[in-house]
Amino acid sequence: MADPHATEPLDTAKAHSRIDQGAERVKQATTEAVTRTKQAVNATADRVEAGVHHATDRTADAAHRASDKAADLSERGRQLRDDTMDKADAWMAQARDYVREKPMQSIAIAVGAGWLLGRILRR
């Protein structure tokens, strides 16, 4: 009769071989999955980085335009103030000249304006 234990080492070797092959397939599949995941993460990170850079550039451009506009408006404001001050100085000079040339009429105008203003403010 044949020894039943004689085939056992052969079956064990086949089982070990199948286990090793299965383990190797799992390792390869895991490696491929990890590689694909890394590539997907890297691609996503690259897209996010590009988007952030684009948004930063747009924000910087908008800030530059706003700064330029503010400087422009500031200069216009200074110019308007200077023009207004020049006009006020010219009107004051005209008023002084008028008072010097016609002192009695100036007093009469001042009294009339004061009386009118007093009447308006009493009501």
Side-chain angles (χ1 to χ4, degrees), residues 70-89:
D72 208 28
L73 290 173
S74 176
E75 181 57 35
R76 285 185 194 177
R78 275 193 287 280
Q79 186 63 42
L80 185 60
R81 183 200 65 210
D82 291 347
D83 292 347
T84 303
M85 291 301 290
D86 290 345
K87 287 179 183 178
D89 289 344

Side-chain angles (χ1 to χ4, degrees), residues 31-103:
T31 300
E32 290 172 8
V34 168
T35 300
R36 284 192 304 267
T37 302
K38 283 181 183 179
Q39 290 171 345
V41 168
N42 287 337
T44 301
D46 289 345
R47 284 194 302 271
V48 168
E49 181 181 19
V52 169
H53 287 180
H54 181 70
T56 302
D57 290 343
R58 289 181 63 193
T59 302
D61 287 344
H64 286 296
R65 284 193 309 272
S67 176
D68 292 345
K69 187 75 168 177
D72 208 28
L73 290 173
S74 176
E75 181 57 35
R76 285 185 194 177
R78 275 193 287 280
Q79 186 63 42
L80 185 60
R81 183 200 65 210
D82 291 347
D83 292 347
T84 303
M85 291 301 290
D86 290 345
K87 287 179 183 178
D89 289 344
W91 289 343
M92 286 300 292
Q94 282 179 330
R96 279 190 211 106
D97 290 344
Y98 185 80
V99 169
R100 284 187 189 122
E101 290 173 12
K102 301 179 182 182

Side-chain angles (χ1 to χ4, degrees), residues 6 18 24-25 28 46 50 53 64 78 93 105 117 122:
R18 281 189 219 138
E24 191 60 35
R25 283 194 301 269
Q28 287 175 353
D46 289 345
H53 287 180
H64 286 296
R78 275 193 287 280
Q105 288 175 339
L117 186 61
R122 270 190 245 158

